[in-house]
Each structure stands twice: as structure tokens, then as C-alpha cells.
Amino acid sequence: MLFAVGLLASGLASASVGAYAGAMIMQGLLHWSVPMLVRRFITLCPAVAILAMGFDPTRTLVLSQVVLSFGIPFAVLPLVRLTSNSEVMGSDINHRVTTVVGWVVAVMISLLNVVLIYLTVTG
């Protein structure tokens, strides 16, 4: 029960962060404003619908996390690239050792993500 409460709290926090990030992007780029309750309702509907259709909650949670992990390389690889670029970072550029470690970790994360996706799809 304690795990379920923690998982619910984590999901609500994640939905809130996603909704706020989406709201900032919509306001800044698209000049749209959507009320907070509508944003939360929209972000919770897919999860509730999937559970209402009778899918196994544990399998659904694992698959959702695998899908979310697919985006990690799209954030980490450009981050390492940009923070090692003196034109972007100026004097705050990463040290060469930090950049090398960053690339190694980013590539490892990407490869492990590919393995995770493969094992989840085939298993």
C-alpha cells in the first residue's frame, strides 16, 4: 500500500511538471493558455483510460517507463555536445575530462536504452 501511495504521488508530481512545462511552451511559443485543471485532466486521461481497458497495471507501468527512457539520449547527447562547445558556453565550457566522461556516459545510456527496448519488445 505504501508503494502504491508513493507511486501515485510520483505520478501526480510528474504529471504536474509535464503540465507546467507544456503550459510554458504553449504560452511562450504558441501564445495559448490552457487552465491548470484542464491540463491535469488531459495528462491523466490516457493513464486512466488504459487502466479502465483492463491492461495489467504493472506491465503498463514498465512499458510506459521504457517509452519514456527512449527520450533520454535525445536530451543527454545534445547536452554533452552543447556544454563542450565554447561558442555556446563561452568561458563556462566543460573541462576536457568532463566532456570525455560525459560522452562515455551518454553513449552507455543510449546503448543500455537500446538493450532495454529490445528486451522489453522481445520478452
Side-chain angles (χ1 to χ4, degrees):
M1 184 58 118
L2 192 59
F3 177 72
V5 170
L7 191 59
L8 180 62
S10 173
L12 289 174
S14 176
S16 296
V17 169
Y20 285 126
M24 292 299 110
I25 290 170
M26 287 174 49
Q27 285 176 349
L29 297 176
L30 304 176
H31 306 293
W32 289 358
S33 181
V34 179
M36 182 182 64
L37 289 176
V38 173
R39 288 192 314 260
R40 288 207 178 163
F41 179 74
I42 290 170
T43 58
L44 290 175
C45 278
V48 172
I50 288 171
L51 292 175
M53 287 189 279
F55 288 99
D56 176 35
T58 304
R59 180 78 175 147
T60 303
L61 178 63
V62 169
L63 287 174
S64 73
Q65 295 309 302
V66 169
V67 169
L68 288 173
S69 75
F70 185 72
I72 292 173
F74 293 102
V76 175
L77 294 171
L79 177 69
V80 175
R81 171 70 177 103
L82 290 173
T83 58
S84 63
N85 185 341
S86 62
E87 291 179 20
V88 174
M89 297 301 294
S91 64
D92 294 322
I93 190 172
N94 280 346
H95 189 275
R96 191 166 298 275
V97 173
T98 305
T99 301
V100 169
V101 170
W103 278 117
V104 169
V105 170
V107 169
M108 285 177 53
I109 288 171
S110 299
L111 291 174
L112 288 171
N113 193 46
V114 170
V115 171
L116 174 66
I117 292 169
Y118 174 76
L119 292 175
T120 302
V121 170
T122 60

